[in-house]
Amino acid sequence: MDNVESKNNLETIIDESSNLSLNQIRRLLNKMSSSEIAHALESSPPKQRNLLFSLLKTEEEGDVLFELGEEIQQDLISSISNEELAEAVKELELDEIVDILQNLPEERMKKILSGMSQIDRKRIEVGLTFPENTAGGLLNTDVISVRPENSIEVVTTYLRGQKKLPENTDKIFVVNNENEYLGELTISNIITSNPSMIVREIMETT
């Protein structure tokens, strides 16, 4: 789509959506990027904004929510169910999910996280402990993980072989062969444990 057509679609959505049928609006939305849709939502009055958002496919909602400013983002999130929100964000990058979830009430956030895989839930929970705008750097880096059958000596050698550890690393994840979360291993435990010990002997489980 060229820039002229894109601009025309955006202007039509903002200025004329009240005169269009729902199908016409859907067709326009389908031609727009998530950032363009977000701009249209932010430029529309609340009633029109809610209508436009309701016409999006669930799989499109996450990308659009990420592009929105916090106030409008949270206002729209309050209008959808936990199940719909979880479905909307599931394909986003982890730092994008953190950006959306970090402003939710704690109880609602827990319900959203409960529907995710253990490894994703743990990674997001770690990201949520950092100040706003710092989680992205952590979550965009591959999370360091080890197997439960590894010895502490092997883990130490592995860590020393890394060119750089993710910033603020104080623990690593223990996962099985299917990359499913089993527990955590703190850096302090690695340093103070006998090298011959096995990860499963000292890892923390929740």
Side-chain angles (χ1 to χ4, degrees):
M1 185 191 309
D2 60 37
N3 291 336
V4 174
E5 183 181 358
S6 177
K7 182 179 179 181
N8 288 340
N9 288 334
L10 183 58
E11 291 175 346
T12 301
I13 282 286
I14 294 173
D15 299 332
E16 302 179 28
S17 62
S18 60
N19 299 319
L20 301 175
S21 70
L22 295 183
N23 284 334
Q24 287 175 315
I25 296 174
R26 284 195 185 95
R27 283 197 291 270
L28 286 173
L29 290 172
N30 287 337
K31 296 177 181 179
M32 296 166 63
S33 68
S34 56
S35 60
E36 289 169 339
I37 295 173
H39 179 64
L41 293 174
E42 291 178 331
S43 302
S44 302
K47 185 176 180 180
Q48 183 180 0
R49 179 189 307 139
N50 290 334
L51 172 63
L52 293 176
F53 189 73
S54 71
L55 295 176
L56 295 176
K57 298 174 183 176
T58 301
E59 59 266 26
E60 298 171 332
E61 291 176 352
D63 288 321
V64 173
L65 286 170
F66 177 67
E67 296 285 351
L68 290 168
E70 180 181 331
E71 183 176 350
I72 292 177
Q73 178 195 83
Q74 294 302 308
D75 181 60
L76 290 172
I77 284 175
S78 68
S79 70
I80 61 178
S81 67
N82 291 335
E83 292 74 19
E84 183 175 349
L85 179 56
E87 184 69 19
V89 304
K90 73 176 185 179
E91 298 299 330
L92 297 181
E93 297 293 331
L94 287 174
D95 60 308
E96 295 173 341
I97 298 175
V98 168
D99 181 82
I100 292 172
L101 298 188
Q102 64 188 353
N103 297 309
L104 291 180
E106 184 176 356
E107 193 60 34
R108 189 173 192 194
M109 187 193 302
K110 287 180 179 178
K111 290 180 180 178
I112 301 297
L113 292 175
S114 68
M116 298 180 176
S117 68
Q118 274 191 307
I119 188 70
D120 280 350
R121 182 166 67 249
K122 283 295 179 181
R123 292 172 71 186
I124 291 170
E125 286 173 348
V126 169
L128 289 167
T129 65
F130 288 88
E132 193 170 350
N133 299 325
T134 64
L138 171 70
L139 294 175
N140 279 334
T141 305
D142 289 338
V143 173
I144 295 177
S145 58
V146 296
R147 301 283 188 257
E149 64 272 14
N150 292 149
S151 69
I152 298 304
E153 182 178 13
V154 167
V155 173
T156 303
T157 301
Y158 171 70
L159 292 176
R160 286 174 178 164
Q162 301 299 303
K163 292 182 179 179
K164 184 179 180 181
L165 296 180
E167 189 176 351
N168 300 311
T169 297
D170 63 350
K171 67 182 71 174
I172 59 179
F173 292 154
V174 182
V175 299
N176 61 18
N177 291 333
E178 283 72 47
N179 206 37
E180 295 172 332
Y181 174 85
L182 300 176
E184 299 170 355
L185 189 61
T186 65
I187 298 299
S188 61
N189 272 349
I190 295 173
I191 294 172
T192 59
S193 296
N194 188 308
S196 64
M197 295 188 73
I198 304 301
V199 168
R200 68 164 55 90
E201 296 177 314
I202 62 170
M203 72 182 194
E204 300 174 1
T205 58
T206 54

